[in-house]
Amino acid sequence: IAPPSFAPYGGQIIAVMQSGRIDALNPVGPVVTNITMTAGGTSDVVFGPTGVMYIAGGDTARTVTATGVVTSFVSGLKSADGIAIDPDNSRLFIADSSSDAVKQVTIPGKVLTTLYTADIDNGYYVSGIIHDKLKTLIYATGENNYTLQAKTP
């Protein structure tokens, strides 16, 4: 759900599609509004505390504005398949399924490093990854038998 600062879509459900399409669904309407068709292959989305939308997919993580402007944020990934953000807005965490690693990207600075190696599923599903307010990073591992890993980066 988009934060209020992602106007005019605050409070709406944001859907990202592998085709590069990003839509906002207003549950009150219900009305679907297309934000962009040019986001590139996308598997996951997260909003920073300041309302910046980050998307993961392919070999990059990108930002998307409410007006549909897509900008590369960091490249050098193999298959960005899940994305989370530190509550203090200082780091992105990316499940990079083809390299079987959890990557960390600094905000600002855009420095990409491998945080953990892990058996990240590189199938048809988004590799789940979250970072909570207690600063615990939780991600799914395994190709067939999934396990949740919890670590404090």
Side-chain angles (χ1 to χ4, degrees):
I1 296 181
S5 57
F6 197 70
Y9 306 111
Q12 296 186 30
I13 300 165
I14 304 299
V16 297
M17 286 144 241
Q18 185 61 34
S19 66
R21 179 183 177 122
I22 299 178
D23 289 340
L25 169 66
N26 186 338
V28 176
V31 176
V32 175
T33 304
N34 178 254
I35 297 173
T36 186
M37 298 287 285
T38 61
T42 305
S43 65
D44 202 7
V45 60
V46 68
F47 284 94
T50 60
V52 174
M53 180 197 303
Y54 297 92
I55 58 173
D59 63 354
T60 62
R62 300 169 296 284
T63 59
V64 181
T65 67
T67 59
V69 176
V70 180
T71 305
S72 178
F73 185 75
V74 68
S75 59
L77 302 160
K78 290 189 177 178
S79 185
D81 197 30
I83 192 166
I85 193 164
D86 191 317
D88 67 7
N89 205 37
S90 65
R91 299 177 290 176
L92 284 176
F93 302 99
I94 300 169
D96 194 8
S97 61
S98 289
S99 67
D100 278 338
V102 174
K103 305 283 183 148
Q104 173 181 278
V105 183
T106 59
I107 307 169
K110 303 177 186 178
V111 177
L112 177 67
T113 56
T114 298
L115 193 58
Y116 306 114
T117 57
D119 184 19
I120 306 289
D121 178 32
N122 55 357
Y124 293 101
Y125 307 103
V126 173
S127 299
I129 186 167
I130 60 173
H131 194 268
D132 67 15
K133 292 182 181 180
L134 299 175
K135 300 205 178 256
T136 302
L137 185 65
I138 302 168
Y139 55 95
T141 63
E143 298 291 328
N144 297 310
N145 298 315
Y146 297 107
T147 303
L148 291 179
Q149 301 288 324
K151 297 187 179 191
T152 305

